[in-house]
Amino acid sequence: MALYVSSACFCGFSQKRVERVRAVASEGFAALKTEEEKVKLGNSDLKVTKLGIGAWSWGDTLYWNNFEWDDRKIKGAKGAFDASIDLGINWFDTAEIYGSRLSLGAINSETLLGRFIKERKERDPEVEVVVATKFAALPWRFGRQSVITALKESLCHLGLSSVDLYQLHWPGVWGNEGYIDGLGDAVEMGLVKTVGVSNYNEKRLCEAYEKLKKRGIPLASNQVNYSLIYRLPEENGVKAACDELGVTLIAYCPLAQVSLHPSWILKLCALTGKYTPGNPPTGPRGLIYTPEFLKELQPLLNRIKEIGQNYDKSPTQVVLNWLISQGNVVPIPGAKNEQQAKEFAGALGWRLTDDEIKKLRSLASETKPVIGLPFENL
C-alpha cells in the first residue's frame, strides 16, 4: 500500500442501463472483498485485484475528453475512484505524462489521483490504495539518476512517500541499462515496493528481468496493449515470456479502444458494441473502423452479447473476463466515471467456460488485425 503523506508540493448510459450495471456490480461486491480475487504481481509480494483502473484519461486534453478538462469531468473521475474503492478494486495505474503540461488545460493525472487518495483517507484513514505510475524514457534523460529524479517528482505530484509499482513506460532510444539500474536503486532506496516495464518486447523483457535478478529484485510486470482483437503479445512471444519468467502481463486498452492512424492516436471501444456497420465512427476513426471492418466484427460482437446474456453481464464485462481467464493477465480499463467503474467491477467474481473462451478466440481470429502503438516496435 502506498503511504500517503501530507505535502505542499502538489505540483452515455441510459437510466435503465445504469441500474443494470449497479445491480451486477452489487452482486459481485462480496466476491471482490475476498483474497480469491487478488493475485500477486509476478514474483513480488505485491497483491492486487485481478482488474485495476487506468487513469490515462484523468486530466488529459490531448487524447481524451475532447480537448477540454472541466469540473464535471473531475467529478466523474472522482466518482470512478470512489466507486472502485467501494467495490474492492483498490489499485490505479497512472503516469507522469498523463495530463501533460504540454496540453492546454490539462491537469496531471498523478496530481488528481493523489488528491482523490487524500480526500478518501480523510474519510477513511484505514483505506488501502495501491498506486502504479511510470517513468517516461524521454530522449534527454540519461542514466539511473534520471529515474530517481523523475520518481521523486511523481511522488510529489501524488503526495506519497512511496509507490507500489514503478514502471518504465516504454524502452528508450538509448540508455535502457541505466533505466533498469534506476529501477533497482528505487527499490533499494525504499521509494517503490516493486518495479515493472511497459511496451517491452520479448528480448528487452528478458534482459530487464536478468539484470534485476542479479540484484535479487523481481521484475513484477510488463504492461502491453492486449485485447480479444489485439493479441500481438501472443504472437510476438511476450505473453509466453511473461508466463515463463513469472512476470504479470498488465493489459492496457483491454476493450480495444486505442489503435493507430498515421497522423493521430484514435480511440474506439470496438468490443463494447458501441459502433455498428450502420453507425460507424466519424472523423479519422472511421478510416480504420470502416463499415466493412465493423461488419466483419459483427459475428464476434453478437457472440459476446449472447454469452453476456447467459450470465447477465454486459459485453464489456465479457471481454474483460476473457482477458482475466487467459491467466497471468491483469486488465486495466480506463474509467471516466462512476458508472464505468461499476461496470468494470462486474467482470470479476465469475469466469467464462473453456468452450466460451475458445469460441471467442476463434471468432476474433477471423477479423482483420487492428494496428497497434509505435512503442511496441522500439
Side-chain angles (χ1 to χ4, degrees):
M1 178 185 70
L3 176 63
Y4 186 87
V5 292
S6 175
S7 173
C9 66
F10 269 102
C11 320
F13 289 82
S14 68
Q15 184 62 31
K16 181 178 179 181
R17 169 68 167 166
V18 171
E19 291 303 323
R20 190 178 74 79
V21 171
R22 286 175 178 167
V24 170
S26 296
E27 291 170 6
F29 179 82
L32 299 191
K33 292 295 187 180
T34 70
E35 287 300 306
E36 293 179 2
E37 286 303 320
K38 291 185 177 181
V39 293
K40 281 188 175 182
L41 277 187
N43 292 316
S44 74
D45 293 328
L46 180 61
K47 298 188 76 173
V48 299
T49 46
K50 294 178 182 178
L51 179 147
I53 298 297
W56 181 6
S57 68
W58 294 3
D60 181 77
T61 60
L62 182 59
Y63 302 118
W64 308 96
N65 303 307
N66 297 318
F67 305 103
E68 62 179 6
W69 185 257
D70 53 30
D71 290 342
R72 180 179 62 84
K73 290 172 181 174
I74 291 177
K75 184 177 179 180
K78 180 64 161 56
F81 174 84
D82 283 328
S84 299
I85 295 292
D86 291 341
L87 291 167
I89 299 173
N90 67 345
W91 82 277
F92 302 84
D93 179 82
T94 183
E96 63 171 321
I97 64 168
Y98 294 167
S100 170
R101 287 170 290 184
L102 299 178
S103 301
L104 185 64
I107 299 177
N108 181 268
S109 174
E110 292 176 327
T111 299
L112 285 172
L113 178 56
R115 183 187 305 171
F116 298 160
I117 294 171
K118 179 177 183 291
E119 291 171 355
R120 183 72 183 215
K121 281 187 171 290
E122 288 173 350
R123 303 198 318 268
D124 181 7
E126 301 303 316
V127 68
E128 293 188 4
V129 182
V130 175
V131 176
T133 191
K134 308 182 199 74
F135 166 84
L138 300 170
W140 54 85
R141 286 179 163 173
F142 298 93
R144 63 207 304 165
Q145 186 55 45
S146 65
V147 176
I148 302 302
T149 301
L151 172 56
K152 288 180 177 179
E153 185 170 352
S154 287
L155 292 174
C156 181
H157 291 157
L158 289 159
L160 301 173
S161 62
S162 66
V163 292
D164 299 281
L165 174 65
Y166 196 51
Q167 307 152 94
L168 302 182
H169 206 153
W170 61 82
V173 178
W174 49 70
N176 281 290
E177 287 197 3
Y179 296 155
I180 299 298
D181 288 335
L183 289 183
D185 295 345
V187 173
E188 293 176 354
M189 294 169 68
L191 297 176
V192 303
K193 182 175 291 185
T194 192
V195 292
V197 293
S198 181
N199 298 299
Y200 268 49
N201 61 29
E202 179 185 6
K203 180 175 181 294
R204 289 187 182 277
L205 174 68
C206 293
E207 290 173 348
Y209 174 89
E210 292 297 335
K211 191 169 183 60
L212 288 168
K213 183 181 178 181
K214 291 177 181 178
R215 298 175 67 170
I217 298 172
L219 179 66
S221 60
N222 184 17
Q223 185 177 145
V224 295
N225 189 356
Y226 185 36
S227 70
L228 178 57
I229 63 169
Y230 188 79
R231 301 185 308 283
L232 182 63
E234 298 175 1
E235 300 162 6
N236 63 12
V238 166
K239 175 69 164 66
C242 284
D243 293 345
E244 181 180 348
L245 298 174
V247 174
T248 297
L249 190 155
I250 299 176
Y252 70 76
C253 302
L255 302 176
Q257 68 265 52
V258 174
S259 61
L260 184 69
H261 178 262
S263 63
W264 195 246
I265 298 285
L266 309 179
K267 305 176 286 294
L268 176 69
C269 295
L271 292 174
T272 64
K274 179 178 180 180
Y275 295 106
T276 65
N279 180 38
T282 58
R285 291 179 292 178
L287 297 176
I288 288 182
Y289 293 99
T290 62
E292 292 75 21
F293 174 79
L294 292 170
K295 183 177 180 180
E296 187 179 305
L297 200 62
Q298 210 58 41
L300 173 61
L301 296 179
N302 290 340
R303 185 60 180 142
I304 290 171
K305 185 176 180 180
E306 290 171 6
I307 291 173
Q309 290 172 342
N310 293 336
Y311 292 94
D312 193 24
K313 298 293 182 180
S314 70
T316 293
Q317 292 163 344
V318 171
V319 296
L320 290 173
N321 192 274
W322 184 90
L323 276 174
I324 295 168
S325 299
Q326 301 309 304
N328 195 39
V329 176
V330 177
I332 51 167
K336 289 185 176 182
N337 53 53
E338 176 184 353
Q339 287 75 27
Q340 289 181 351
K342 288 181 174 180
E343 183 168 23
F344 297 155
L348 295 170
W350 62 287
R351 188 183 186 278
L352 294 167
T353 67
D354 290 343
D355 285 344
E356 289 166 339
I357 293 168
K358 291 176 183 176
K359 181 61 175 177
L360 291 178
R361 177 184 293 277
S362 176
L363 287 171
S365 298
E366 297 174 9
T367 64
K368 178 176 59 179
V370 271
I371 305 168
L373 295 169
F375 304 130
E376 298 163 305
N377 298 318
L378 292 175

